[in-house]
Amino acid sequence: MEINEKSDHQHKSKKKSVSNPLKVLRRLLAIVSILLITPLFLDFTGTWQTLFGWMAKIQFLPAVLSLNVLVIVGLLILTILFGRLYCSVICPLGIMQDGVAWFGKKAKKNRYSFSKAKSILRYALLAVMVVSLIAGISSMVAILAPYSAYGRIVSSILQPVWIWGNNLLASWAETHNSFAFYQIEFWSKGYGVLVVAISTLVILALLAWRNGRTYCNTICPVGTVLGFFSRFALFRIVIDRSKCVDCKLCSRNCKSACIDIPNHQIDYSRCVACFDCIGKCNKNALSYKYVGLKSGNDDEVKASNLDGSRRQFLSTGAVISATVAMSAADKVVDGGLAAIEDKQIPERKTRIAPPGAVSLRNLHQHCTACQLCISACPNGVLRPQTDIENFMQPESSYERGYCRPECTQCSDVCPTGAIKPLDTAEKSSIQIGHAVWIKENCVPVTDGVECGNCARHCPTGAITMVESDNGLKIPAVNTEKCIGCGACENLCPSRPFSAIYVEGHENHRQI
């Protein structure tokens, strides 16, 4: 008897040491996914965006906002076939939470327990997202969107460290007569975004450490939508009642808290197909298998009978309907010779939307404030808005640089259609604003000396110098030729406010 018990114990120990291949494969794919998408917010050369920019475009909400039908249909088919693999393999915020939860389980094993779905809260937040999209309240969308939350965390917290490391290597390379690295100037793109990013990271890390996927199954609107479809997945994790001994080991390792062992039920709307439970079962009572169109009342495959299933259907329909409706710089020194005053942002009546945005309305309706375009802008032109309604969405401002006609980085990387793809010829002919001359700030007027900096650097020839009353030449702006690139504003020597600045246009036009 003692020998048999010892043998059984050895068998269990041996089984525990064998990794579940599905879990291993899922983890490998998740690692590859997050390693490909994270550098999109760090790379200042544009190389990574060129190679792997498609990783941003296959995120669910960006695909919905850009009406990328192929991606939307593909992700829904993936969910209907295999469950919420998107949340475990493609969504970077979900993968990040899995990483934190992994460390949490190392600190305390068997830490989770089953909890009932917060269906009312889930669908209420989904409704808030849909209403915000339709009403154009982009700040709410930005807060709830998972991909955007991850982008802000990386660009606001990790990017400064990345640039610091690059500059450290550049300094070392310079001492060894190497040009493998070069210095990159770092500047804060907005303390409001930083506060939001840090708060998001702290809250999500605490939730993931203690409770696993609480955010994904309670707050995330993408998780709610995919959860509706995953209830009908053809491949699901199932419980074999004849083998289950009600040990609850699977439930205690389920970070989605969706396994109800006393009733032998799994809430498939919350299961993210991480396969952690299968590897923990010593009795082979759990398996991931094809179940076809078996009903939820089948003895082997029985999903939780969620209250409000009709509300789930209506909420999902609302998301689809909303999707269809949406189709409709601080220069410090002057050549190292003299300290000069920082430029101040002028008071514009209309914000400047980057080329490709089409209009401020299009930008506000489609942008999720992921900060990818801001991270990719090589000229320091884009920065987050600070007003509540469109908080953290990009706007153009020319204190640090100007929008060069040959640069299309922001339109190349935008995954949502908020900034549509452009080639250099198209960009050079799009008017996003027009220059306005302020006589009281102009050097020929205030100091009585020749300047003409704005006219010399205007790429479209929209500024010419005309003789003034004092005999000196002052700028005259042809607003029909001006594209609003900001070269004149940025290169104007007047401080703290430029003598010429760009006023934005609500609707862009071709000139």
Side-chain angles (χ1 to χ4, degrees):
M1 183 68 177
E2 183 179 348
I3 295 176
N4 289 339
E5 289 179 355
K6 183 177 180 181
S7 176
D8 185 55
H9 176 73
Q10 289 176 344
H11 175 72
K12 290 181 180 179
S13 300
K14 183 178 180 181
K15 181 172 181 55
K16 286 183 181 180
S17 65
V18 178
S19 298
N20 175 24
L22 287 175
K23 179 180 175 180
V24 173
L25 178 60
R26 193 267 306 169
R27 281 186 174 177
L28 287 176
L29 292 175
I31 291 171
V32 170
S33 180
I34 201 167
L35 289 179
L36 289 181
I37 200 168
T38 301
L40 292 178
F41 300 91
L42 304 175
D43 179 33
F44 44 78
T45 66
T47 304
W48 204 266
Q49 285 91 347
T50 302
L51 295 174
F52 301 109
W54 55 271
M55 285 295 298
K57 292 178 171 61
I58 64 171
Q59 301 301 314
F60 187 81
L61 189 57
V64 169
L65 292 172
S66 63
L67 290 177
N68 192 331
V69 177
L70 288 178
V71 172
I72 296 171
V73 172
L75 292 178
L76 291 180
I77 290 175
L78 176 70
T79 304
I80 292 172
L81 286 175
F82 304 109
R84 284 174 58 181
L85 276 179
Y86 170 87
C87 300
S88 288
V89 174
I90 300 176
C91 177
L93 196 69
I95 299 170
M96 183 193 79
Q97 291 175 83
D98 279 350
V100 176
W102 184 80
F103 284 105
K105 288 195 293 184
K106 290 292 182 182
K108 180 182 178 181
K109 296 182 179 181
N110 305 325
R111 63 187 304 140
Y112 306 127
S113 61
F114 171 77
S115 63
K116 292 183 178 180
K118 309 294 189 296
S119 297
I120 294 177
L121 177 60
R122 292 167 72 187
Y123 288 97
L125 289 172
L126 176 60
V128 168
M129 169 70 89
V130 173
V131 171
S132 299
L133 286 172
I134 296 174
I137 307 174
S138 57
S139 55
M140 184 59 66
V141 178
I143 294 295
L144 293 176
Y147 161 76
S148 299
Y150 182 78
R152 288 192 295 273
I153 290 171
V154 175
S155 61
S156 299
I157 301 174
L158 190 56
Q159 188 187 57
V161 178
W162 181 268
I163 292 177
W164 175 81
N166 170 83
N167 291 344
L168 193 65
L169 288 173
S171 299
W172 176 85
E174 186 178 351
T175 61
H176 292 76
N177 298 319
S178 171
F179 298 96
F181 300 91
Y182 56 90
Q183 293 282 342
I184 299 295
E185 183 183 3
F186 173 76
W187 57 285
S188 175
K189 300 176 180 64
Y191 292 109
V193 179
L194 178 62
V195 170
V196 172
I198 293 175
S199 301
T200 303
L201 177 61
V202 171
I203 292 172
L204 290 181
L206 288 174
L207 288 175
W209 179 275
R210 292 175 56 87
N211 304 309
R213 288 292 191 116
T214 299
Y215 166 83
C216 301
N217 288 326
T218 307
I219 300 172
C220 179
V222 174
T224 301
V225 172
L226 296 181
F228 172 79
F229 290 97
S230 68
R231 295 170 62 230
F232 311 105
L234 300 183
F235 285 86
R236 309 177 214 169
I237 296 173
V238 297
I239 303 174
D240 187 340
R241 294 188 177 189
S242 63
K243 295 181 179 179
C244 181
V245 295
D246 296 346
C247 67
K248 297 185 179 179
L249 198 56
C250 57
S251 180
R252 291 172 180 170
N253 286 275
C254 176
K255 52 180 172 276
S256 294
C258 66
I259 303 179
D260 182 7
I261 285 300
N263 296 307
H264 295 96
Q265 296 176 350
I266 297 176
D267 181 355
Y268 294 114
S269 73
R270 290 186 289 158
C271 176
V272 294
C274 67
F275 308 122
D276 287 355
C277 56
I278 296 178
K280 291 296 181 179
C281 183
N282 296 318
K283 302 296 183 180
N284 291 321
L286 288 173
S287 60
Y288 182 70
K289 60 191 294 186
Y290 175 77
V291 297
L293 299 177
K294 290 183 179 181
S295 71
N297 294 321
D298 186 89
D299 286 340
E300 190 180 27
V301 184
K302 187 172 184 181
S304 297
N305 184 19
L306 298 176
D307 293 331
S309 60
R310 181 175 299 177
R311 290 195 301 272
Q312 294 177 359
F313 176 80
L314 293 175
S315 300
T316 306
V319 173
I320 297 173
S321 300
T323 303
V324 175
M326 284 186 293
S327 61
D330 303 272
K331 289 178 170 43
V332 179
V333 294
D334 182 10
L337 300 178
I340 60 177
E341 192 174 0
D342 293 342
K343 276 203 172 187
Q344 300 296 316
I345 301 174
E347 292 186 10
R348 311 183 203 273
K349 294 179 181 178
T350 305
R351 295 183 181 277
I352 308 172
V358 181
S359 65
L360 285 172
R361 180 180 176 83
N362 180 75
L363 179 70
H364 295 162
Q365 285 187 333
H366 291 80
C367 178
T368 61
C370 70
Q371 311 296 300
L372 186 54
C373 60
I374 296 174
S375 298
C377 180
N379 304 310
V381 170
L382 297 182
R383 69 276 318 276
Q385 295 184 35
T386 55
D387 64 294
I388 297 300
E389 185 178 0
N390 305 304
F391 186 49
M392 299 184 294
Q393 288 192 344
E395 66 174 332
S396 296
S397 199
Y398 304 120
E399 293 70 56
R400 302 191 59 83
Y402 63 93
C403 193
R404 298 179 182 272
E406 70 276 9
C407 176
T408 59
Q409 285 275 45
C410 60
S411 66
D412 292 339
V413 303
C414 179
T416 67
I419 306 176
K420 299 183 183 300
L422 296 172
D423 57 35
T424 53
E426 289 175 311
K427 181 181 177 181
S428 300
S429 61
I430 290 180
Q431 187 181 65
I432 62 175
H434 66 275
V436 178
W437 179 56
I438 307 297
K439 179 180 179 180
E440 294 77 13
N441 295 343
C442 196
V443 171
V445 176
T446 59
D447 297 348
V449 296
E450 294 283 358
C451 180
N453 224 26
C454 51
R456 281 194 298 272
H457 294 92
C458 179
T460 64
I463 303 176
T464 55
M465 302 302 291
V466 297
E467 193 168 329
S468 66
D469 294 338
N470 64 358
L472 296 173
K473 291 185 176 182
I474 58 175
V477 180
N478 183 344
T479 56
E480 293 300 314
K481 295 177 66 176
C482 177
I483 59 175
C485 68
C488 56
E489 179 181 331
N490 174 251
L491 298 171
C492 176
S494 180
R495 295 294 190 277
F497 293 100
S498 294
I500 193 165
Y501 77 98
V502 177
E503 188 63 56
H505 289 178
E506 287 194 12
N507 297 292
H508 298 173
R509 71 181 182 92
Q510 211 84 15
I511 61 171

